[in-house]
Amino acid sequence: MLRPRARCQRVSVGLLASSLAIIIAWSSSSSASRSSRHMLRARLLRKGFAVRGRAGRFRAFSSQAPPVPAAGVATELKRYDPAEIEPRWQKIWAEEKTFKTPERRDGKEKRYILDMFPYPSGAGLHVGHPEGYTASDVMARYYRMKDYDVLHPMGWDSFGLPAEQHAINTGTHPAVTTLENIANFKRQLSMLGFSYDWDREIATTDIRFVKWTQWIFLQLYKQGLATQSEVSVNWCPALGTVLANEEVINGKSERGDHPVKRLPLRQWVLKITEYADKLIDDLDGLNWPEGTLTAQRTWIGRSEGAEIEFNIQGHDESLSVFTTRPDTLMGVTYVCIAPEHPLAKTLPIDADHLEKVSAYVEETSSKSDVDRTAAAAKEKTGVDTGAKAIHPITGEEIPIWVADYVLGSYGSGAVMAVPAHDERDFAFADKFGLPRKEVVQAPPAKNNNKNNKNNNNNYHAAQFPRFDFYAYISEIEPATTRMPLRNSDNISS
């Protein structure tokens, strides 16, 4: 007796998502009432599935697959033809608005399932798009089958440099190019069978959307959360725009390979850091993977410490540094400022030092914060200004250096270096022959040998004076400084 064998067929993303959602919904409904089973059976039929079974249990098959033949009957399964089946059903879904967001129903739970909006490039979708969208589509279908009110929209993050550059190169208005690319993306997503509510489609370039972004900005401005400030940015003259750190590779733009310079530009800044405490605190209790929570805390980048003022020999100005370890103040052997720090232009004590500092600042200006951080992990670079800072407690003269491992976007753009207790400071001091002072000691190791009296309890006790920072705090301004939203790019003592 011959029995038909299932063949491996090419199945659409939409059919796959439907099948997964059915399995999830049915497995979670195994103890549901008979009426619930009938409702699920009806939904399967509406989705184009044939339902077979008995005794309250059933299986769902694609409507295009014939039922299993009776014993002794040999037959050939009809080949699944995606070119014929999928367009037909996708047309029905579009005409009947199968995935339209329902009006809210009293007593029904709701789910808002949002995908990251893609940038509609001329290249169309890449493999990473459906990879993520399939997972969210499975969830949307699952919750619809659970009789939730589901909002599952799609939109376009459609502002971008490629459209602007294409317009410059070809004379085509960017609105024309953007709309053509959006139409192509929408066609591709529809062919994949995703269950989006296309009535909720939005584009960030749509004037109806821009209107509300402008309105939001005005509300931020009225609350004092939008201000103008001079900030060091990655400026690309060829592209005529500011680039994110991730768009600068080895001092050149990712798009076009054009030179990039670090320049201070006056621009609008949103005080997102005003909400750092709330953002951090609200992470507590979230059922997220620990890695995700750590990444969020790093991104928010709150640091708590103190601002310490160092007077500068021969200058009326003082140098403010932010540190999370004020207890190591007695171990400071040099002070380091970022190349973009305003004092980098005025601190060099003579023409020779000024020439070296200026050349170093020019060299580092083509590097993004990401590039500088990566380079500093391999090798430290810097230049001595010749100027001296005055230790606020001991009155000792301390050299002031310019180094690109210090970032202007972190704290005050200056750090007090404690080589004995900071890995980055240690590497810098080791390269340039700067001294180290140990002021924090580890607790003595336990020694179980009672006869051994040499247990190192007095290790370093007489070599370095002890300093109680908080007894001296009245002379130092305490502060809680919040970093910009790229803590992984920032380095400080």
Side-chain angles (χ1 to χ4, degrees):
M1 179 178 64
L2 297 178
R3 297 186 63 84
R5 285 190 174 185
R7 297 177 180 177
C8 294
Q9 306 290 350
R10 183 163 61 89
V11 181
S12 73
V13 172
L15 182 60
L16 174 63
S18 295
S19 302
L20 289 173
I22 290 166
I23 293 170
I24 296 171
W26 184 245
S27 65
S28 62
S29 305
S30 58
S31 60
S33 65
R34 177 170 296 187
S35 61
S36 298
R37 294 175 184 272
H38 285 310
M39 288 176 63
L40 183 54
R41 180 191 292 263
R43 282 193 215 105
L44 291 172
L45 290 171
R46 288 200 299 272
K47 298 292 183 184
F49 285 84
V51 179
R52 295 169 52 83
R54 66 179 186 274
R57 298 182 179 276
F58 60 81
R59 291 179 292 171
F61 303 90
S62 167
S63 60
Q64 299 303 310
V68 178
V73 178
T75 184
E76 281 291 328
L77 284 175
K78 182 179 178 181
R79 183 180 179 84
Y80 181 81
D81 184 3
E84 185 274 325
I85 297 171
E86 295 180 17
R88 174 160 53 88
W89 279 106
Q90 289 163 9
K91 181 181 179 182
I92 293 173
W93 293 345
E95 291 175 349
E96 297 184 358
K97 297 186 181 296
T98 304
F99 308 117
K100 180 179 176 61
T101 306
E103 295 294 328
R104 287 292 288 122
R105 298 172 295 169
D106 293 339
K108 293 293 183 182
E109 293 192 67
K110 59 184 178 180
R111 285 292 183 272
Y112 179 24
I113 300 174
L114 181 64
D115 283 313
M116 180 184 70
F117 291 169
Y119 172 71
S121 67
L125 290 175
H126 60 70
V127 69
H129 287 119
E131 181 182 20
Y133 297 160
T134 299
S136 56
D137 200 64
V138 167
M139 298 309 298
R141 293 172 183 270
Y142 166 73
Y143 282 114
R144 289 193 192 100
M145 293 177 182
K146 296 284 287 181
D147 205 27
Y148 283 60
D149 289 342
V150 175
L151 170 59
H152 188 33
M154 176 48 70
W156 319 103
D157 186 8
S158 43
F159 277 114
L161 273 177
E164 296 176 16
Q165 288 303 300
H166 184 76
I168 293 172
N169 295 336
T170 66
T172 306
H173 196 286
V176 175
T177 306
T178 299
L179 289 176
E180 290 175 351
N181 293 343
I182 286 176
N184 183 46
F185 265 65
K186 186 174 180 179
R187 177 187 63 83
Q188 291 177 307
L189 288 174
S190 297
M191 288 178 64
L192 288 169
F194 291 121
S195 60
Y196 294 123
D197 178 2
W198 288 109
D199 288 349
R200 303 295 184 110
E201 177 186 7
I202 60 172
T204 57
T205 48
D206 191 318
I207 191 171
R208 294 170 296 176
F209 181 86
V210 173
K211 165 189 173 181
W212 291 109
T213 62
Q214 293 175 333
W215 180 87
I216 291 172
F217 177 84
L218 289 175
Q219 308 316 306
L220 294 172
Y221 178 77
K222 292 174 183 177
Q223 295 296 321
L225 296 172
T227 61
Q228 284 192 330
S229 179
E230 192 172 86
V231 180
S232 184
V233 297
N234 303 312
W235 172 254
C236 180
L239 297 177
T241 189
V242 172
L243 301 179
N245 284 325
E246 295 77 13
E247 297 174 302
V248 181
I249 301 175
N250 296 325
K252 295 186 177 180
S253 63
E254 183 181 27
R255 184 173 182 83
D257 209 30
H258 302 297
V260 175
K261 295 288 185 181
R262 294 282 289 184
L263 295 176
L265 291 181
R266 190 167 183 80
Q267 57 189 302
W268 286 102
V269 177
L270 300 181
K271 294 183 179 180
I272 303 175
T273 49
E274 292 291 320
Y275 297 90
D277 291 338
K278 181 174 175 56
L279 289 170
I280 285 282
D281 295 341
D282 286 353
L283 291 175
D284 295 337
L286 290 180
N287 186 23
W288 288 3
E290 188 56 40
T292 302
L293 292 172
T294 299
Q296 285 290 304
R297 293 188 178 98
T298 300
W299 180 80
I300 294 166
R302 182 178 68 184
S303 287
E304 297 182 0
E307 287 181 353
I308 301 177
E309 297 289 331
F310 286 78
N311 291 327
I312 303 173
Q313 188 180 58
H315 284 253
D316 294 332
E317 296 181 85
S318 61
L319 182 60
S320 176
V321 304
F322 171 75
T323 178
T324 59
R325 292 294 307 273
D327 56 322
T328 63
L329 179 59
M330 293 300 293
V332 175
T333 60
Y334 68 95
V335 175
C336 230
I337 63 175
E340 57 269 31
H341 195 287
L343 289 178
K345 301 176 182 178
T346 60
L347 281 181
I349 59 174
D350 53 37
D352 183 50
H353 283 86
L354 179 60
E355 182 181 356
K356 292 179 180 178
V357 170
S358 298
Y360 183 75
V361 170
E362 177 66 22
E363 176 189 347
T364 58
S365 68
S366 63
K367 300 177 182 178
S368 69
D369 286 358
V370 173
D371 288 339
R372 284 165 55 178
T373 302
K378 299 176 182 178
E379 183 181 8
K380 296 292 186 291
T381 63
V383 179
D384 187 4
T385 66
K388 304 292 184 182
I390 307 302
H391 195 287
I393 297 175
T394 66
E396 180 185 0
E397 294 182 2
I398 302 169
I400 302 176
W401 285 67
V402 178
D404 65 355
Y405 83 93
V406 181
L407 302 178
S409 56
Y410 178 87
S412 61
V415 300
M416 61 177 211
V418 186
H421 303 294
D422 183 274
E423 185 178 353
R424 298 174 299 274
D425 297 343
F426 178 89
F428 189 89
D430 189 59
K431 179 175 180 178
F432 294 103
L434 297 168
R436 297 187 293 272
K437 290 183 180 179
E438 186 176 348
V439 293
V440 178
Q441 68 180 45
K446 294 182 179 179
N447 194 330
N448 294 326
N449 187 351
K450 296 181 180 180
N451 297 324
N452 186 355
K453 298 181 180 180
N454 185 19
N455 57 13
N456 295 323
N457 281 340
N458 296 320
Y459 181 73
H460 286 311
Q463 295 183 35
F464 300 99
R466 286 287 170 258
F467 170 61
D468 185 350
F469 174 81
Y470 293 100
Y472 187 75
I473 199 66
S474 60
E475 298 183 36
I476 299 175
E477 179 184 0
T480 298
T481 297
R482 298 170 178 83
M483 293 183 285
L485 305 180
R486 292 191 309 276
N487 184 37
S488 59
D489 298 346
N490 299 324
I491 298 176
S492 176
S493 295

